[in-house]
Amino acid sequence: MSKFYLSLTIFTMLIIMSACGENSDPSSVETESSEGNNDAVEAAGDEREGWPETFIFGLLPIEDQGELMKRHEPLISYLEDELGIDVEFYNATSYTALIEAMANDHLHASTFGPFSYLVAHERADAEAFAIPVSEEGGTAEDIYYYAQMITLEEHNIDALADIEGQSLAYADPASTSGHLFPKAMLINELGLTLDNVDEFPSDVVFSGSHEASLYSVLNGDVKTAGVCSTCIELVFERVEDHENFDQLKVFHESEPIPGGPYVIKGDLPDSFKQAVKEAFLTMGDSEVGQEFLEANEYHGGFFEIDHDTYDVVQETAEALGMSPEELLE
């Protein structure tokens, strides 16, 4: 009997020891698993270190701000989903305001015209990373657009020389296609100089945007205006009912200009800049992203670019003898 109890005691102890061993193993596994999760979280945290809590994106003032906001609303939802942070728009009244806001860390990214981008690159450490294409299935050649001179048929303006003595509207002092390329055309093709080019028309005004310049011509406030080809195409539906729309014509066009870039501030973390770039380059894969592309007629999505794309614009600025300070005036 004593041997029986001894065996039973030993058997019981073995069961208890086995149970304790089993209980300790899950504890050990759980600890290892927990440590693994913490490492993953810390790794993700390291990758996103320095990211802004809210991504501030500036809007280029090429048209009515209400319409601009409406067309860009899907972009907020798309970027918030892709980046995992809040996104807000920064509304500016001029290119200069956007540049100064970026230089003072009030916004992280924006769209710019080619010339204003050069200023933003120098003044605000802006880096070009993508450019939209309007043609579905477009190629790298489709990143270019034109500066156009427009008028009404009734004014009998058919060439740059006919601008002499007529009123002329530019969009914004730092606008590539709405001011600088049109002015360069007058200088290069008519033999004018920086000293007398603004005296060639009877009057020169700055309307503030391409759409405002278009309306200035349609309403008869000025005889002619310099505008961007793609910007005007965006607003045709809103102006086609204007009584003078059928008289509107393009009488001169520039050489190809690289389109306005999407840019980001250079001192942001590389991981964030890469995430933003990838979000734009793959926008067509998202339903919400596609909504933004369609609303803005970016049927070809976005192409990757860099600063070298704007060498031709830099050369034009130098030909005009215009410094960044003069571009902002």
Side-chain angles (χ1 to χ4, degrees), residues 5-21:
Y5 283 116
L6 178 60
S7 299
L8 179 62
T9 301
I10 293 172
F11 180 73
T12 302
M13 291 177 64
L14 289 172
I15 292 176
I16 293 172
M17 291 173 64
S18 175
C20 291

Side-chain angles (χ1 to χ4, degrees), residues 32-54:
E32 291 174 2
S33 174
S34 175
E35 288 176 353
N37 289 339
N38 288 338
D39 289 343
V41 170
E42 289 176 5
D46 289 343
E47 183 179 338
R48 298 171 70 92
E49 184 176 354
W51 282 35
E53 293 183 4
T54 300

Side-chain angles (χ1 to χ4, degrees), residues 11 30 55 86 125 149 239 324:
F11 180 73
E30 181 178 352
F55 182 35
D86 292 335
D125 192 26
M149 303 299 293
V239 301

Side-chain angles (χ1 to χ4, degrees), residues 87-123:
V87 177
E88 294 180 2
F89 286 140
Y90 183 97
N91 291 307
T93 57
S94 69
Y95 296 83
T96 303
L98 283 176
I99 294 168
E100 294 306 318
M102 181 171 282
N104 290 294
D105 297 321
H106 297 315
L107 63 87
H108 305 109
S110 182
T111 56
F112 281 105
F115 267 112
S116 54
Y117 161 64
L118 293 180
V119 183
H121 178 72
E122 181 169 319
R123 290 279 189 89

Side-chain angles (χ1 to χ4, degrees), residues 95 115 147-149 168-186 194 197-198 204-206 210 213 225-228 320 322 326-327 329:
Y95 296 83
F115 267 112
Q148 296 178 330
M149 303 299 293
L168 170 63
Y170 294 127
D172 182 279
S175 171
T176 301
S177 56
H179 176 221
L180 298 170
F181 263 80
K183 179 172 284 187
M185 288 191 292
L186 292 175
L194 281 175
V197 64
D198 287 336
V204 172
V205 298
F206 288 99
H210 296 271
S213 290
V227 295
C228 121
L320 287 171
M322 302 185 77
E326 290 168 325
L327 288 172
E329 289 178 356

